[in-house]
Amino acid sequence: MCGIIGYTGRKNAVPILLEGLRCLEYRGYDSAGIAAAGADGIVCMKSKGRISDLEALLEARYPKLISHTGIGHTRWATHGAPSDENAHPHGTGLVFAVHNGIIENYAELRVRLKALGYSFHSDTDTEAAVCLIDYHYRRLRDPVSAIAAAVRELRGSWALGILFADREGELYATRHESPLVAASEDSGSYIASDITALLDHTDRYIRLDEGEIAFLNADGVRVCRMDGSVVEKEVQTVTWNRDAARRGGFAHFMLKEIHEEPEAILRTVGSCTRGMLPEFDADRLDWEAVCHAPHIHIVACGTAMHAGLVGKRFIEQYAGIPTSVEIASEFRYSPPIPAKGDLFIAISQSGETADTLAALRLAKSLAMDSLSLVNVVGSSVSRESDSVIYTCAGPEIAVASTKAYLVQLTVLYLLAVRLGFANGNLSEQEAQTLVAALASDAPPAVSRMIARSQEIRTVAEKIQKAEDVFFIGRGMDYFLAEEASLKLKEVSYIHSEAYPAGELKHGTISLITDGVPVVAIATSRALYDKMISNIREVRARGAFVVMLCGEDFPEPETIANTVIRLPALPEALMPLPAAAAFQLLAYHASVLRGCDVDKPRNLAKSVTVE
Ligand code: AGP
């Protein structure tokens, strides 16, 4: 989604802002801009398109711009089309701001502000917030009081970076339901919507909490509440290496992140096990009670939701607890009638997904115990849930989620074993055997799969011109098919759909004609014969069949056009190498089609609007 960067200090702010915006590119955007205080007042430049377009504009208009205070933004359009006018920052001449989130009552605010003499130059919701701050600032002459007064009148979500033209060297920020961090080092102080934008400058930062207002100057950051009282903030340190957020020699972040999967699984197993038994730091969770939960409700979006589907299987199989999986954005329309002791699990890589956060809040209002599986430490979902288990994927930059999915599967597997062991469904020895298989066999199997990237590229060459691709599977493989299909369409723009293999003949098989690719995922030996029958059905209609199946499954080559054999593993762990394989298939298809692999069109890494 949109990105925010801000700097005030002794260095030139312009290159810092531009470089910061580049670090935020991965979140997805359609326009970019900066406002920088120069010798002749605030220069505000913005443009539709890429950051390079903004740079060209700056170079043409203000080639020698030196500034010591500025804000920058990458916008992902919500209110108003992507355009120069709608790009941020927005300003009144006195107040300039960048905004992430949505101001829900912007229409009524605009009417009021117009009556007060304000005019609007964009279709955005943001401009109403900027004018409102301007209005209160002219009245109160104090930035913090003006921001607090404006924020009290806003509804929706926001992270705001704000400059006042008559406050040289000062930068202000506030947030509500949209993340924002602040940091300072010897040369000056920064704000950013995401710490990755600040890693070139510092690894120490503070996270603004709901409703807090930050005041920054060259000497540091001060945070206060809406009533002006000062808050002592805990300084956090980034735990992962800054190189982890860079491409490190790979052509794309997506490829790099797929290659990091074996290590990410190992790290996650290391952090969630002791003595070959699952052990979590989710200390506020009463495991004794949770392992007897009548029902578990998993809620998430996109890839995280697909991980939840596999997790449901693990939990039901190993812990015997009925589990349901719901898409977060739909959760409020069919909220569960929770029984006493039901557990709500939110899964989120970013921990900032608005729909997942809203579902978590609803679950809490229904008095459900909540646990979140989150990758980003300290994110909103992790802070608002009763307990959290962190997945240890490290930073995931590519919009397409890859390694985060594998570590979500890893944690769900361990969680299922933990619950099963605790409620007596599994013996200690069974639990240890399951964990040992994950710890020792899964990472090398995923590595072996990734090492066959070129073989998978040749398969991608065969499907890259297709208009439609179908993914089929049975049981757990159907859940994998859903994720495989999402990955392919997300990064290659090839239309694709996933079906339970037995369901095709109830309608969709009418779409199978000569040469239409069908990717059959068959990791279960028990379901293999039934899969073979389904593959024969589509072959008979001319489909070009790619089969992903177990290493020792009998004679897939006689049935499919192309076979990708997966490394041998216990069946429950087969989703891990299978996922690496279909992620690589999507990756290569994207590269072959010349798509923007890491930043697919219209998509954002972290979807912070509902
Ligand atoms: C996956 O490739 C997507 N980019 C998307 O489906 C993502 O998984 C979804 O938006 C949820 O994000 P989260 O895990 O950060 O909550």
Side-chain angles (χ1 to χ4, degrees):
M1 285 276 81
C2 311
I4 289 177
I5 177 82
Y7 172 77
T8 178
R10 288 170 267 279
K11 292 186 190 163
N12 184 3
V14 179
I16 293 175
L17 297 177
L18 291 171
E19 199 39 52
L21 292 182
R22 252 180 239 111
C23 294
L24 294 168
E25 270 193 304
Y26 77 94
R27 294 166 68 102
Y29 72 109
D30 43 50
S31 53
I34 65 165
D40 303 319
I42 291 187
V43 166
C44 185
M45 297 299 292
K46 46 198 199 167
S47 115
K48 183 182 165 191
R50 302 272 111 187
I51 291 164
S52 50
D53 298 318
L54 171 67
E55 268 180 308
L57 199 64
L58 268 167
E59 190 51 39
R61 300 277 301 278
Y62 298 96
K64 297 199 169 64
L65 180 62
I66 303 281
S67 162
H68 293 286
T69 307
I71 46 180
H73 192 258
T74 47
R75 174 174 187 256
W76 188 81
T78 55
H79 289 61
S83 69
D84 294 353
E85 296 73 31
N86 290 336
H88 299 205
H90 291 282
T92 59
L94 178 61
V95 177
F96 290 81
V98 287
H99 166 221
N100 285 1
I102 291 179
I103 307 296
E104 285 169 3
N105 56 337
Y106 78 102
E108 60 202 69
L109 287 173
R110 277 171 89 116
V111 172
R112 249 185 62 209
L113 289 157
K114 271 184 188 166
L116 289 166
Y118 285 91
S119 48
F120 289 85
H121 309 283
S122 75
D123 304 320
T124 65
D125 50 334
T126 303
E127 217 183 344
V130 178
C131 293
L132 193 62
I133 297 171
D134 179 288
Y135 166 72
H136 286 297
Y137 185 57
R138 286 178 196 276
R139 206 169 54 80
L140 300 166
R141 300 316 301 179
D142 171 57
V144 170
S145 313
I147 293 168
V151 154
R152 281 192 193 98
E153 295 187 52
L154 299 179
R155 280 204 318 271
S157 58
W158 53 86
L160 287 161
I162 309 156
L163 290 183
F164 295 86
D166 59 350
R167 298 266 170 179
E168 212 186 314
E170 297 181 6
L171 171 60
Y172 295 83
T174 189
R175 70 165 285 253
H176 171 67
E177 293 189 4
S178 202
L180 201 67
V181 298
S184 64
E185 41 87 39
D186 291 345
S187 99
S189 308
Y190 305 81
I191 55 165
S193 47
D194 185 329
I195 181 64
T196 52
L198 304 184
L199 289 177
D200 278 342
H201 312 288
T202 181
D203 58 359
R204 287 160 57 77
Y205 66 101
I206 57 171
R207 197 174 272 279
L208 287 194
D209 281 309
E210 294 287 294
E212 289 177 345
I213 300 172
F215 159 67
L216 299 91
N217 63 17
D219 300 323
V221 184
R222 198 180 69 214
V223 178
C224 62
R225 300 183 186 88
M226 300 264 277
D227 61 8
S229 57
V230 174
V231 189
E232 281 309 319
K233 298 294 292 182
E234 189 193 334
V235 177
Q236 306 192 354
T237 306
V238 178
T239 47
W240 29 268
N241 186 317
R242 98 181 38 190
D243 291 340
R246 304 280 182 263
R247 270 199 283 118
F250 286 92
H252 300 96
F253 279 112
M254 183 178 176
L255 187 61
K256 173 179 182 258
E257 287 160 6
I258 293 171
H259 277 80
E260 288 168 346
E261 286 171 346
E263 207 187 309
I265 297 171
L266 268 179
R267 249 197 328 267
T268 300
V269 173
S271 109
C272 299
T273 57
R274 308 261 181 294
M276 281 304 149
L277 281 175
E279 183 78 53
F280 301 103
D281 290 335
D283 49 4
R284 275 177 289 167
L285 209 61
D286 177 354
W287 288 100
E288 245 332 285
V290 163
C291 74
H292 296 293
H295 198 105
I296 292 179
H297 307 264
I298 298 179
V299 175
C301 301
T303 293
M305 193 276 291
H306 293 154
L309 291 170
V310 177
K312 166 186 158 73
R313 277 296 158 95
F314 290 153
I315 294 169
E316 291 182 340
Q317 185 180 346
Y318 296 140
I321 303 175
T323 302
S324 51
V325 182
E326 187 81 56
I327 293 173
S329 56
E330 289 292 312
F331 186 63
R332 75 186 64 173
Y333 310 123
S334 54
I337 304 166
K340 192 171 174 332
D342 275 9
L343 177 67
F344 173 93
I345 300 181
I347 309 176
S348 176
Q349 186 286 127
S350 63
E352 300 296 348
T353 301
D355 289 319
T356 307
L357 198 53
L360 168 65
R361 288 174 181 160
L362 176 59
K364 289 180 78 178
S365 75
L366 295 171
M368 294 168 81
D369 286 331
S370 57
L371 167 68
S372 61
L373 312 187
V374 174
N375 195 43
V376 177
V377 177
S379 53
S380 303
V381 171
S382 70
R383 283 181 301 151
E384 291 196 26
S385 45
D386 296 326
S387 295
V388 55
I389 298 173
Y390 286 113
T391 54
C392 303
E396 192 178 66
I397 305 293
V399 165
S401 199
T402 54
K403 60 177 178 170
Y405 175 68
L406 272 82
V407 293
Q408 284 161 353
L409 298 184
T410 302
V411 168
L412 285 160
Y413 177 93
L414 290 169
L415 178 65
V417 175
R418 171 81 173 90
L419 292 169
F421 174 49
N423 69 16
N425 220 46
L426 295 174
S427 69
E428 181 168 343
Q429 203 196 333
E430 283 169 328
Q432 281 176 330
T433 307
L434 288 165
V435 174
L438 171 69
S440 56
D441 301 344
V446 173
S447 288
R448 288 203 298 280
M449 198 68 248
I450 295 167
R452 286 162 48 202
S453 180
Q454 282 315 308
E455 173 193 333
I456 296 174
R457 187 185 157 98
T458 61
V459 179
E461 281 165 4
K462 294 176 185 153
I463 65 161
Q464 56 133 333
K465 296 233 161 68
E467 286 190 4
D468 310 287
V469 173
F470 293 88
F471 287 85
I472 57 171
R474 283 177 175 263
M476 186 93 97
D477 291 333
Y478 165 57
F479 302 146
L480 298 181
E482 286 281 6
E483 175 57 13
S485 169
L486 171 63
K487 211 81 316 171
L488 183 73
K489 65 189 135 205
E490 181 178 24
V491 297
S492 75
Y493 315 151
I494 300 175
H495 167 250
S496 88
E497 290 186 39
Y499 280 91
E503 186 64 14
L504 269 193
K505 56 186 166 298
H506 297 286
T508 315
I509 203 159
S510 63
L511 298 173
I512 307 294
T513 52
D514 254 0
V516 171
V518 174
V519 180
I521 303 180
T523 68
S524 163
R525 184 65 186 87
L527 302 177
Y528 186 58
D529 294 343
K530 282 208 171 6
M531 277 301 289
I532 295 295
S533 306
N534 298 134
I535 292 170
R536 287 195 199 287
E537 287 161 11
V538 291
R539 277 300 303 269
R541 272 95 189 157
F544 176 83
V545 175
V546 177
M547 171 130 82
L548 264 69
C549 70
E551 201 165 60
D552 50 358
F553 287 14
E555 300 176 344
E557 289 80 4
T558 59
I559 303 131
N561 300 80
T562 301
V563 176
I564 300 171
R565 290 213 183 236
L566 304 168
L569 273 182
E571 200 170 302
L573 297 174
M574 289 298 278
L576 296 165
F582 64 64
Q583 290 167 354
L584 283 167
L585 185 67
Y587 169 76
H588 287 302
S590 175
V591 173
L592 289 163
R593 288 166 63 92
C595 301
D596 194 347
V597 178
D598 288 334
K599 298 185 286 284
R601 69 180 174 218
N602 303 339
L603 284 173
K605 179 65 182 163
S606 165
V607 183
T608 51
V609 290
E610 288 182 12

